[in-house]
Amino acid sequence: MRAIFPLKLSRLFRPRDSRFWLMVVLNLLSAVLAWVLRTYPLVPLAAALVAVFALGNALLGMRIAFDLLRDESTGEARPARHDHDHDPS
């Protein structure tokens, strides 16, 4: 298991990493959903559903942020590995 500390905040900003942009989108969507909950009078079932999505987005965004903080790579997007790309000989 990887140690949580030391975390470097400079690892969080990685505009070339797709995880960074996914984190940004999830956290923005979470904020929009929270705004909807506070602004509009929703029926209890709809309010509960929006709240669950807002919390889920926030938790997933935080998970990605911690993953980025712990990652020691340079921040470049990681290439996808395909098994058929490698010659078995």
Side-chain angles (χ1 to χ4, degrees):
M1 185 171 155
R2 295 184 292 190
I4 293 178
F5 294 103
L7 298 176
K8 294 185 179 181
L9 287 178
S10 62
R11 294 179 184 163
L12 190 58
F13 182 70
R14 299 181 183 193
R16 294 179 186 232
D17 194 335
S18 61
R19 295 175 297 168
F20 169 75
W21 293 109
L22 181 60
M23 175 196 67
V24 169
V25 167
L26 287 173
N27 287 323
L28 286 175
L29 182 58
S30 208
V32 168
L33 290 173
W35 175 78
V36 166
L37 279 173
R38 300 276 301 168
T39 305
Y40 297 104
L42 301 173
V43 295
L45 181 61
L49 188 62
V50 171
V52 166
F53 277 115
L55 286 173
N57 285 337
L59 290 174
L60 188 57
M62 286 190 297
R63 170 70 175 101
I64 293 170
F66 284 124
D67 188 38
L68 285 170
L69 288 172
R70 286 190 302 226
D71 192 4
E72 296 179 9
S73 67
T74 62
E76 295 293 323
R78 293 179 287 182
R81 181 173 178 240
H82 300 286
D83 289 334
H84 60 81
D85 289 343
H86 302 287
D87 188 18
S89 56

